[in-house]
């Protein structure tokens, strides 16, 4: 979030190096937009001169990013004019790339795919799209491939465990203000400052206001906020720690779910597990946040299931964080059809 110091400087002495001396404010037109790099949906303005994006600044929205903006959303516009970025459609003719018009490029793409489908079948073709793509791009992508009979479609490019889906946990309505108002927050498998900088800012505000922050991760980093309980674990340690917390809460609530009891560790819960369980049990509004590191782990489904059980036992809010624009991709159905291959199966085969 360091780029926000540009906006905070009261006399304009601290400026944006990529934008410095490039344009005057009155030469540009402001176009409202949405930040593309995370699931927060930060409000931004594109300042444009003669169809060139000159800079990106935050657009005030108190319910989302307030007046802040992550560095990647502030400075990534430079990629639009990068010299290595393709600016015209190209196709390969006799081994060499040639610039062509869009109609020729699109017809070539369709013919190429149709040739493969005719020869090997549609089941041997797969389509993968970045979760940072827009809702409109996602819809058109799957519509095009399904029009050719292709059902191997996926946007979950880094997911390794498909025995459940992160989207099935996104059933509760919550806002960033809800996070900031929490009096207890537990981060599970999340490098939150890198994954969701605006969310990290809200968690920090909660910590400053007295919320107890706990961090269970595969490695420890400086969260730049007060952290009460913190532990680095491997995957077995993650599952064991979460199960231990659930075991403590189960004994406190007299939970009689035998199926879950069989999964709890046959040991006395550690002091760390007891402290986190007590933190959640005593909180008026507690929040559990499952981050990217957990969601992209080979045992992600087990982690999510245990966190969901902890939330149920403690009356906490469970947030399984989506990545980039993945929630819109669910709406657009960039997901494999019935009995089709997911992204991991496509990579392996």
């Amino acid at each position: 979030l360091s780029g926000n110091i540009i906006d905070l400087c009261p006399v304009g002495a601290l400026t944006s190096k990529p934008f410095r001396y490039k344009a005057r404010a009155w030469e540009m037109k402001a176009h409202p937009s949405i930040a593309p790099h995370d699931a927060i949906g930060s409000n931004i303005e594109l300042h444009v001169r003669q169809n060139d994006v000159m800079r990106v600044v935050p657009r005030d929205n108190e319910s989302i990013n307030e007046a802040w903006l992550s560095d990647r959303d502030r400075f990534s516009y430079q990629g639009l004019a990068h010299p290595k970025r393709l600016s015209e459609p190209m196709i390969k003719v006799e081994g060499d790339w040639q610039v062509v018009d869009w109609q020729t490029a699109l017809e070539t793409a369709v013919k190429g795919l149709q040739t493969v489908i005719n020869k090997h079948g549609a089941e041997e073709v797969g389509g993968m799209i970045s979760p940072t793509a827009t809702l409109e791009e996602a819809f058109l992508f799957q519509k095009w491939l399904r029009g050719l009979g292709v059902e191997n479609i996926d946007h979950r490019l880094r997911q390794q465990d498909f025995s459940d889906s992160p989207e099935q946990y996104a059933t509760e309505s919550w806002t960033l203000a809800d996070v900031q108002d929490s009096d207890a927050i537990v981060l599970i498998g999340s490098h939150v400052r890198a994954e969701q900088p605006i969310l990290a800012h809200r968690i920090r505000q909660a910590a400053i206001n007295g919320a107890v922050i706990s961090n269970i991760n595969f490695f420890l980093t400086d969260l730049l906020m007060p952290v009460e309980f913190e532990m680095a674990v491997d995957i077995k340690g993650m599952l064991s720690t979460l199960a231990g917390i659930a075991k403590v809460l189960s004994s406190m609530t007299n939970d009689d779910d035998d199926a879950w009891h069989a999964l709890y560790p046959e040991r006395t819960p550690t002091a760390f597990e007891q402290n986190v369980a007590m933190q959640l049990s005593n909180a008026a509004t507690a929040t559990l946040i499952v981050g990217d590191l957990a969601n992209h782990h080979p045992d992600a489904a087990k982690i999510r299931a245990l966190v969901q059980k902890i939330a149920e036992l403690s009356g906490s809010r469970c947030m399984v964080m989506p990545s980039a624009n993945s929630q819109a991709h669910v709406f657009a159905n960039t997901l494999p059809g019935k009995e089709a291959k997911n992204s991991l199966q496509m990579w392996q085969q």
Side-chain angles (χ1 to χ4, degrees):
L1 295 171
S2 59
N4 288 284
I5 199 171
I6 298 166
D7 304 326
L8 294 171
C9 182
V11 297
L14 301 175
T15 59
S16 168
K17 185 175 181 179
F19 174 68
R20 189 181 299 158
Y21 312 130
K22 296 292 178 64
R24 300 290 188 181
W26 57 83
E27 296 176 325
M28 302 180 292
K29 291 184 178 180
H31 298 274
S33 188
I34 301 296
H37 290 101
D38 55 37
I40 298 301
S42 297
N43 286 206
I44 62 175
E45 275 189 353
L46 308 176
H47 289 180
V48 179
R49 184 184 67 180
Q50 297 178 354
N51 289 330
D52 291 326
V53 177
M54 306 305 294
R55 67 178 175 183
V56 174
V57 298
R59 179 162 50 97
D60 287 359
N61 188 323
E62 285 300 313
S63 65
I64 303 178
N65 56 304
E66 300 170 303
W68 310 112
L69 190 61
S70 67
D71 292 346
R72 60 190 177 204
D73 285 316
R74 184 183 295 272
F75 297 116
S76 62
Y77 73 91
Q78 298 172 82
L80 296 171
H82 195 279
K84 291 187 177 181
R85 185 181 181 190
L86 293 177
S87 57
E88 299 173 295
M90 303 174 74
I91 63 173
K92 187 170 283 189
V93 180
E94 296 180 355
D96 296 321
W97 288 105
Q98 294 186 6
V99 175
V100 295
D101 59 76
W102 274 108
Q103 187 63 31
T104 301
L106 293 171
E107 290 177 355
T108 302
V110 172
K111 288 178 181 177
L113 270 179
Q114 197 64 63
T115 299
V116 174
I117 291 171
N118 292 339
K119 185 176 181 180
H120 301 285
E123 65 277 4
E124 293 301 315
V125 175
M128 289 187 272
I129 183 171
S130 169
T132 61
T134 66
L135 171 66
E136 294 82 359
E137 290 167 340
F139 175 78
L140 291 171
F141 181 76
Q142 62 86 28
K143 190 74 171 178
W144 168 47
L145 290 178
R146 287 194 162 97
L148 295 172
V150 177
E151 289 292 337
N152 304 321
I153 302 169
D154 213 339
H155 68 275
R156 302 163 298 178
L157 307 187
R158 294 174 57 204
Q159 188 168 323
Q160 299 183 68
D161 187 352
F162 289 88
S163 53
D164 75 345
S165 174
E167 289 76 23
Q168 76 185 55
Y169 298 94
T171 58
E172 184 180 358
S173 296
W174 57 273
T175 67
L176 291 171
D178 293 333
V179 177
Q180 187 169 324
D181 292 340
S182 300
D183 53 4
I185 298 173
V186 181
L187 295 167
I188 299 105
S190 175
H191 186 10
V192 69
R193 285 179 55 207
E195 294 169 12
Q196 309 286 354
I198 298 296
L199 176 62
H201 166 69
R202 294 281 190 158
I203 296 172
R204 184 174 183 274
Q205 291 301 309
I208 291 172
N209 291 333
V212 178
I213 309 298
S214 297
N215 182 27
I216 309 171
N217 207 347
F218 302 111
F219 57 87
L220 298 183
T221 59
D222 187 356
L223 294 179
L224 299 181
M225 67 183 76
V227 178
E228 188 76 17
F229 307 113
E230 192 169 37
M231 177 178 285
V233 295
D234 58 16
I235 183 55
K236 290 184 179 179
M238 174 67 78
L239 295 173
S240 177
T241 299
L242 293 175
I245 295 170
K247 183 177 182 179
V248 175
L249 290 167
S250 178
S251 63
M252 294 169 61
T253 58
N254 296 317
D255 179 60
D256 57 0
D257 191 337
D258 292 336
W260 279 99
H261 288 181
L263 299 176
Y264 297 152
E266 295 181 0
R267 59 170 173 77
T268 301
T270 65
F272 178 87
E273 294 161 0
Q274 291 175 1
N275 286 332
V276 174
M278 289 298 296
Q279 166 198 348
L280 293 172
S281 178
N282 293 334
T285 53
T287 301
L288 300 159
I289 299 175
V290 182
D292 268 4
L293 295 174
N295 285 326
H296 294 138
H297 199 278
D299 283 315
K302 294 179 181 178
I303 295 174
R304 288 189 287 262
L306 280 167
V307 174
Q308 183 72 24
K309 184 62 177 178
I310 292 171
E312 175 189 324
L313 292 170
S314 61
S316 305
R317 181 187 298 113
C318 177
M319 299 179 179
V320 177
M321 288 303 298
S323 59
N325 198 31
S326 59
Q327 201 63 38
H329 282 258
V330 175
F331 298 146
N333 198 27
T334 52
L335 294 166
K338 188 177 181 180
E339 299 182 1
K341 299 182 181 71
N342 58 47
S343 61
L344 183 61
Q345 293 168 327
M346 285 188 263
W347 282 120
Q348 292 173 339
Q349 298 177 16

